[in-house]
Amino acid sequence: ALMKKQGYKSTKELQGHLLRYAEKKLRSLGKRMVGWEEAQHGNKVSKDTVIYSWLSEDAALNCAKQGFDVILQPAQSTYLDMTQDFSPEEPGVDWAAVIPLETAYQYEPLAQVPESDPIRKRILGIQCALWCEIITHQSRLDYMIFPRLTAMAEACWTNKSKRDWHDYLSRLKGHLPMLDKQGIDY
């Protein structure tokens, strides 16, 4: 009925209607909407919406060039539901990548974008994700997160010139007893 009333020809137009409604409501509450990358396709939301960009860093930069503020979340580097090695027994999925600890540590957000590039101002931050369709118990959750989250935190928050894989491993060795004490199954 709403599609007919508004003259929409497709469900994508209806989706845009819903997203614009949500965006307007959030704005009236002094909030800013955050949407997945797909929200910016087809002029569904205004440039006030922050985009979670998960497809790739190139896709994130494309959103930023269109005028959106962006939170980086490239699946190839930040999805903790990705497997940690190539073993068939390894839990997780690998549709975007396999992300072992060292790969997580070596990630360098926006490595191809010069520090002086003004597009960087549109990148508000970075986020890791863990999709839980295959997480059936706490120990699996722990295993998928730890210690990769520590590697990703250092990769995302520490200047590359100050990162050192072997130093990280040394510090991680001192951190693991704390995870043990908390009963975290890394």
Side-chain angles (χ1 to χ4, degrees):
L2 182 60
M3 285 180 69
K4 188 174 183 177
K5 178 181 173 188
Q6 296 292 329
Y8 297 148
K9 305 283 187 242
S10 74
T11 54
K12 288 184 181 187
E13 290 175 300
L14 182 62
Q15 180 188 36
H17 179 95
L18 174 63
L19 290 173
R20 286 186 297 277
Y21 173 84
E23 184 181 44
K24 184 178 176 184
K25 179 65 175 173
L26 288 167
R27 192 178 302 120
S28 76
L29 298 170
K31 306 290 182 192
R32 212 171 160 195
M33 188 162 89
V34 179
W36 290 112
E37 201 159 349
E38 294 81 356
Q40 55 89 29
H41 295 295
N43 202 25
K44 294 177 191 154
V45 295
S46 78
K47 301 297 191 254
D48 290 337
T49 291
V50 177
I51 301 297
Y52 278 121
S53 186
W54 64 272
L55 285 173
S56 66
E57 283 197 8
D58 286 342
L61 292 171
N62 184 45
C63 290
K65 288 173 185 169
Q66 292 177 54
F68 288 98
D69 286 338
V70 176
I71 297 170
L72 286 176
Q73 194 172 354
Q76 304 84 355
S77 305
T78 65
Y79 271 35
L80 294 168
D81 51 326
M82 296 296 125
T83 61
Q84 298 183 62
D85 72 36
F86 293 94
S87 168
E89 297 84 31
E90 181 68 19
V93 296
D94 62 3
W95 61 264
V98 172
I99 308 175
L101 184 63
E102 186 171 7
T103 301
Y105 187 83
Q106 299 300 335
Y107 174 50
E108 185 181 351
L110 304 175
Q112 306 306 316
V113 180
E115 290 293 330
S116 60
D117 192 325
I119 203 72
R120 282 181 169 264
K121 288 182 172 67
R122 291 252 174 235
I123 308 299
L124 302 181
I126 191 162
Q127 174 174 291
C128 294
L130 174 65
W131 298 100
C132 293
E133 298 92 334
I134 59 170
I135 306 297
T136 56
H137 51 282
Q138 184 66 45
S139 64
R140 172 65 48 88
L141 180 77
D142 293 348
Y143 181 82
M144 299 306 290
I145 295 173
F146 294 103
R148 282 191 298 182
L149 189 61
T150 66
M152 289 179 176
E154 190 158 317
C156 296
W157 295 339
T158 304
N159 221 328
K160 187 174 183 176
S161 64
K162 297 191 189 298
R163 291 194 329 234
D164 179 290
W165 169 243
H166 296 290
D167 180 61
Y168 165 77
L169 287 177
S170 174
R171 287 180 285 115
L172 178 62
K173 190 174 182 181
H175 185 70
L176 294 179
M178 185 173 73
L179 295 179
D180 291 334
K181 194 174 196 176
Q182 294 173 326
I184 294 174
D185 188 16
Y186 55 90

